[in-house]
Amino acid sequence: MNARSFPGRPTVVLLCGGLGLRQRSDGDDLPKPLRPLPDGRALILHVLDHYRSFGLDDFVLCTGYGARAMDQLLLGELPAADIATGPGWLRLSADGIRVTLVDSGPYAEKCVRLLDAAGHLRPGPFLLGYGDVLSDFDLGRLAERREASGATVTMTATRVRSRYGELVVGPGMEVTAFVEKPLQPALISAGYFACSPRLLAALSPELGLEEDVLPALAARGEVDAVVHDGQWLPFDTYKDFVDAEALAAQEGFPWPTPVRV
């Protein structure tokens, strides 16, 4: 896939301003997107590389916790950038991309962050994702599905492995087999979304994105999904980060990196 897979080159909105409490170890207050991977580059730079490999060039980063450090990271990554600022936002334009950082504060809910970001989006559909998820997912499939279905939101679904080994037990409670961390049958959100501007109209500061808005849209038949069976690395808890770091160190990065225009 390339930029032609995305008519109008949609803006990519990345949620990367949460406190990340589940990921931290004692004494570690570094925001997840700023943590370095084995090559020394911050997680958020790898996330941007994945999207940029599809020709996407307009990003809005919804920041909060660690916002100033995020600003400094991007300023260092794009040292020759043209800079524009306004109340609560900083925009960097260089190397064929535009990155707008919108700071809603560390405690803002996702709907508030998206509403603050809305004025910085290009017209039309946009992509939405998280600053702490990496994969080898073909983003073109997501946009194509949403365009074909007309859904308000098309999301990516995947399956994960159990954190525990499972026992196969017979009728007399005899253990007949051990299954090491089997793949779970249930689909979960993989954290990639293609969105119609109608999503923005459904947002409200007092609502939760996953708790209220998306379930309400789904109940009206306005959400569909594509399934991803490939590599998927969530950086949710501290253990997730350690495991993903080990995988990347052993097998290399499953996403294209680095991207240079």
Side-chain angles (χ1 to χ4, degrees):
M1 293 289 177
N2 54 38
R4 289 173 294 180
S5 301
F6 298 90
R9 289 195 177 183
T11 298
V12 177
V13 181
L14 295 174
L15 296 166
C16 49
L19 293 171
L21 295 176
R22 287 180 293 177
Q23 181 268 337
R24 295 191 212 171
S25 60
D26 291 342
D28 182 1
D29 60 358
L30 188 67
K32 286 189 290 182
L34 297 182
R35 288 183 65 93
L37 293 185
D39 67 344
R41 299 176 71 240
L43 170 58
I44 188 64
L45 299 181
H46 287 280
V47 174
L48 291 171
D49 283 343
H50 183 211
Y51 285 92
R52 290 182 67 189
S53 70
F54 291 86
L56 297 162
D57 59 1
D58 187 46
F59 300 90
V60 175
L61 274 56
C62 298
T63 65
Y65 178 69
R68 186 166 299 178
M70 183 72 76
D71 292 350
Q72 293 302 312
L73 174 71
L74 270 299
L75 284 166
E77 184 74 5
L78 301 171
D82 294 328
I83 299 174
T85 62
W89 62 270
L90 166 69
R91 179 173 296 135
L92 308 175
S93 303
D95 292 342
I97 68 168
R98 183 176 77 165
V99 181
T100 305
L101 301 105
V102 181
D103 180 8
S104 299
Y107 302 105
E109 296 295 335
K110 291 171 184 174
C111 282
V112 173
R113 298 184 191 281
L114 290 175
L115 288 169
D116 288 348
H120 300 280
L121 275 62
R122 288 172 174 166
F126 62 97
L127 300 182
L128 173 63
Y130 297 102
D132 59 358
V133 174
L134 288 169
S135 77
D136 56 3
F137 177 59
D138 181 349
L139 294 163
R141 291 179 54 213
L142 189 66
E144 289 167 0
R145 170 72 187 190
R146 199 218 65 81
E147 185 176 6
S149 70
T152 298
V153 176
T154 296
M155 59 191 302
T156 307
T158 193
R159 295 178 176 87
V160 296
R161 292 195 175 276
S162 171
R163 291 184 180 272
Y164 308 98
E166 295 185 2
L167 303 178
V168 179
V169 180
M173 291 306 296
E174 68 277 9
V175 176
T176 60
F178 294 83
V179 183
E180 179 62 20
K181 298 182 180 179
L183 195 65
Q184 300 297 288
L187 290 168
I188 68 165
S189 171
Y192 298 94
F193 308 84
C195 308
S196 161
R198 295 191 300 274
L199 173 63
L200 299 174
L203 302 176
S204 181
E206 67 273 9
L207 298 178
L209 178 64
E210 293 98 343
E211 302 87 349
D212 302 305
V213 176
L214 291 178
L217 291 173
R220 297 200 296 267
E222 297 183 45
V223 180
D224 62 5
V226 295
V227 176
H228 174 56
D229 292 322
Q231 186 66 265
W232 184 68
L233 300 176
F235 293 76
D236 189 14
T237 66
Y238 180 74
K239 184 179 185 304
D240 290 334
F241 209 106
V242 171
D243 290 347
E245 281 187 321
L247 178 65
Q250 293 171 6
E251 301 183 12
F253 297 106
W255 51 93
T257 180
V259 171
R260 292 293 179 262
V261 177

